[in-house]
Amino acid sequence: MSGLPGARTCPGLGEASDLKFPLGAKFREPLTEARFQQLFGDAEQEPELLAEPRLSRLCRRWRRRARAGSGPGAWRLLLARLPPLRWLPHYRWRAWLLGDAVAGVTVGIVHVPQGMAFALLTSVPPVFGLYTSFFPVLIYTLLGTGRHVSTGTFAVLSLMTGSAVERLVPEPLGGNLSGIEREQLDAQRVGAAAALAFGSGALMLGMFALQLGVLSTFLSEPVVKALTSGAALHVLVSQLPSLLGLPLPRQIGCFALFKTLAAVLTALPRSSLAELTISALSLALLVPVKELNVRFRDKLPTPIPGEIIMVLLASVLCFTSSLDTRYNVQIVGLLPGGFPQPHLPNLAALPRLLADSLPMALVTFAVSASLASIYADKYSYTIDSNQELLAHGVSNFLSSVFSCFPNSATLATTSLLVDAGGNTQLAGLFSCIVVLSVLLWLGPFFYYLPKAVLACINISSMRQMFFQMQELPQLWRISRMDFAVWIVTWVAVVILSVDLGLAIGVVFSMMTVVCRTQRVQCLALGLAEGTELYRPLRESHKLLKVPGLCILSYPSPLYFGTRGQFRRSLEWHLGLGEGCKGAPKTDSPPVAVAEPVRVVVLDCSGIAFADAAGAREVLQLASRCRDAGIHLLLAQCNGESLGAGDIDPGRTPGQSDPRTAVCQCPGCSCSCPGETGAYWSKDLHSVGLTQSSGVWRAPAICVCWSPLTSCN
């Protein structure tokens, strides 16, 4: 039942199409043009709107943009670009403020040691990790649309930035630098990291200007998860020298993971026993605390801040035992108070950094948008992907002026924010207050913090990324193609590098989509007895067919990559030429075996688009059908991709095709025979078509038509 008024039992069905239905089977009554206007109003208005000239549409759009400069238009633009103006007036102070305060302080406490740890991963001094944990968080609070998203330092981006910084500003081969030379080297590396943040932010702002938020869809979930999981392994291996107290140069480029492992194994006898002990004790505390926070998430009022506890204990131990002087343990040292002097990064180096900035911008947006979407779906609100581009673009662009390195939403702190009871972006302000207090007053307390503890914090923060591999068995059961994408991306990231692995993962993911379009089967359809539904003939339903009629559906775009599959499938179904011999395997038998085909209806609703090669294939099909005496009808043509006026290859421009013309039933875009000659009339009436006012209407044969009805 279609639900239209006036549905009734249709007698005389057998006379129309030679089909035998049980008595009492109900179908829609014919939906004529007069009946359509009676039910839904005047149908002539909508085509007029659709036929509006393009110039008029452009003029109306420019007038609308011009009105946006007026007072109300500017206010709407301000509301769209500053989300706090929308959610702050509706903020539930009594219900949400305490949760945001607790969650913000908790995340801020984690930001302090994690920011310093990821700064070492970026190859810059630890204090710049605190800057990156302050300015981007503050900017995203003002511009972001994700209520439960926590931004700041991210391990994957820090790893990518560190590799680029080490390549651009390598450490001298000798390694024995004086204090002044070390400061100069650090300043150059800080400038390179800030330039990378500037470049990635500028790219995201350009993407926002072009409204390219849809680009996040090209980084599929398997690609993102495999990328972060593979990068976590890189982080683990890169921190081994710090865990063991080995002053080894950082390996960059392809096979860097294996080069680092080889260097660590070679230098293992020179490990520092003191730093190895500190690392073992730190991991022995951090890993169980992380596990407790996960297992007792619902019972704990707030997660246990294991990182800050470990930082305090290690600092006190190092200070009281003088580990830095007695055992040469590497410590953080003095953290400068206040903020750095704002200045623009070295813009002359931007062309060299473009190749590194682009993948960073894509990773930033993909991870941040996916995290925001996950929690938006969980808590029933919406995010604006283009506004997220603006937020992260401005965050990286402006924070680079304060010597921050690339940043994005982070997996660990976002999960911590939600577990601690955060409700809105206001939690970011409380997090900034904690980091600000460290920058202004509490920095000297971290002077004796061993760098080995920061390396342990880096490794323990990768826990969530490592456990993503547990999803592989379920992914294998759901989609083996996505499983292959995950494995290929992960192997490429681990063996080559994060940048190349990302590129290979995206290309391979796109190739799987192309391959899937080439594996579809052209389905022969039949009418399910007692219903108005057309089903594939290979299904186990009792289906009815009109002798001499073949209804085919091709559920795939028709382009240069699928034209061969399309041609072979239709040749096999229609018994034309060589297609019967080399056709793809299918469960439905060729129609030609039962009775020669006189009319074929091609359902084009699944053809999302057709390029020039696909259109020529349809022309050739129409020509071969004409030579074989088969009448070709097109149903549900998608826009202009398969225009009905282009089917007959023998007609001249402007001349109507005697075999195909656009059906004039209200609301239908099908193509039906348009000639009224006696031959056509006799032949097509035999399969149930009727003619009215010079237009053929096709009951009982088209996928989009119901028995004994007009189109639709």
Side-chain angles (χ1 to χ4, degrees), residues 213-541:
V214 70
L215 287 180
S216 62
T217 58
F218 290 100
L219 289 175
S220 62
E221 182 177 347
V223 171
V224 174
K225 289 189 174 182
L227 174 73
T228 54
S229 182
L233 189 58
H234 275 279
V235 172
L236 171 62
V237 174
S238 67
Q239 296 304 296
L240 289 179
S242 298
L243 292 178
L244 302 174
L246 297 174
L248 298 177
R250 185 167 179 171
Q251 303 293 333
I252 59 175
C254 296
F255 313 107
L257 186 143
F258 304 101
K259 294 177 183 177
T260 304
L261 283 177
V264 168
L265 292 176
T266 303
L268 194 58
R270 304 197 305 269
S271 300
S272 171
L273 183 60
E275 294 194 82
L276 180 60
T277 303
I278 293 174
S279 302
L281 293 176
S282 300
L283 291 176
L285 174 65
L286 290 173
V287 173
V289 168
K290 291 275 187 182
E291 193 66 27
L292 287 175
N293 286 335
V294 173
R295 295 201 175 192
F296 300 98
R297 178 182 305 172
D298 299 331
K299 297 181 180 180
L300 292 173
T302 183
I304 303 173
E307 290 88 350
I308 199 67
I309 293 175
M310 190 65 245
V311 165
L312 295 177
L313 291 178
S315 299
V316 172
L317 177 64
C318 185
F319 172 73
T320 56
S321 303
S322 301
L323 297 179
D324 57 324
T325 56
R326 294 173 60 185
Y327 299 101
N328 198 25
V329 172
Q330 298 294 317
I331 60 175
V332 169
L334 180 64
L335 294 178
F339 297 106
Q341 188 71 24
H343 65 278
L344 283 175
N346 184 12
L347 301 182
L350 284 180
R352 292 189 300 152
L353 301 176
L354 183 61
D356 298 298
S357 299
L358 181 58
M360 291 181 190
L362 293 178
V363 170
T364 298
F365 179 53
V367 173
S368 303
S370 61
L371 271 178
S373 300
I374 289 172
Y375 288 102
D377 294 340
K378 182 177 180 179
Y379 293 98
S380 302
Y381 63 91
T382 59
I383 64 166
D384 184 352
S385 59
N386 286 307
Q387 180 66 21
E388 288 294 299
L389 265 178
L390 175 65
H392 291 287
V394 173
S395 177
N396 281 271
F397 188 84
L398 291 184
S399 63
S400 67
V401 178
F402 295 94
S403 303
C404 297
F405 50 84
N407 56 86
S408 72
T410 63
L411 301 176
T413 55
T414 297
S415 177
L416 181 63
L417 178 70
V418 175
D419 294 340
N423 299 290
T424 65
Q425 296 94 316
L426 194 62
L429 292 180
F430 293 98
S431 175
C432 290
I433 292 174
V434 174
V435 179
L436 180 63
S437 63
V438 174
L439 287 171
L440 296 181
W441 304 295
L442 303 179
F445 290 97
F446 298 96
Y447 183 92
Y448 289 98
L449 175 62
K451 291 185 177 181
V453 175
L454 298 180
C456 294
I457 293 175
N458 276 333
I459 293 174
S460 64
S461 64
M462 299 293 103
R463 175 190 178 279
Q464 189 175 359
M465 299 183 190
F466 284 127
F467 278 91
Q468 288 177 345
M469 301 188 71
Q470 294 179 343
E471 303 176 4
L472 286 179
Q474 181 182 6
L475 190 61
W476 172 265
R477 293 190 296 268
I478 295 175
S479 173
R480 297 186 179 183
M481 195 69 73
D482 286 346
F483 178 87
V485 171
W486 201 104
I487 294 297
V488 168
T489 305
W490 187 87
V491 171
V493 169
V494 170
I495 295 180
L496 300 178
S497 64
V498 177
D499 300 351
L500 291 178
L502 173 63
I504 292 174
V506 171
V507 171
F508 185 77
S509 178
M510 294 295 102
M511 290 301 299
T512 60
V513 175
V514 174
C515 291
R516 288 177 183 181
T517 63
Q518 295 178 330
R519 296 175 59 186
V520 298
Q521 298 291 339
C522 187
L523 303 176
L525 305 179
L527 183 64
E529 184 176 2
T531 70
E532 298 178 342
L533 303 176
Y534 285 83
R535 298 181 179 275
L537 294 179
R538 63 187 181 188
E539 295 186 3
S540 58
H541 303 277

Side-chain angles (χ1 to χ4, degrees), residues 50-132:
L50 295 176
E52 182 183 4
R54 180 175 299 180
L55 182 60
S56 300
R57 293 199 303 270
L58 291 176
C59 292
R60 188 174 70 252
R61 185 179 303 173
W62 281 109
R63 285 196 300 269
R64 186 165 60 248
R65 292 182 177 179
R67 286 196 301 269
S70 61
W75 176 246
R76 286 195 299 270
L77 181 63
L78 194 62
L79 286 177
R81 297 298 167 243
L82 287 177
L85 296 179
R86 298 197 306 268
W87 58 263
L88 198 56
H90 306 285
Y91 188 83
R92 296 157 57 182
W93 294 96
R94 292 185 178 180
W96 291 349
L97 183 59
L98 180 60
D100 283 341
V102 173
V105 171
T106 303
V107 171
I109 291 174
V110 175
H111 267 314
V112 173
Q114 188 171 282
M116 292 189 290
F118 287 162
L120 295 182
L121 193 61
T122 315
S123 299
V124 297
V127 68
F128 293 94
L130 296 179
Y131 300 151
T132 310

Side-chain angles (χ1 to χ4, degrees), residues 150-167:
S150 174
T151 59
T153 56
F154 183 40
V156 176
L157 280 179
S158 298
L159 180 69
M160 298 172 68
T161 306
S163 299
V165 167
E166 292 279 352
R167 188 183 70 252

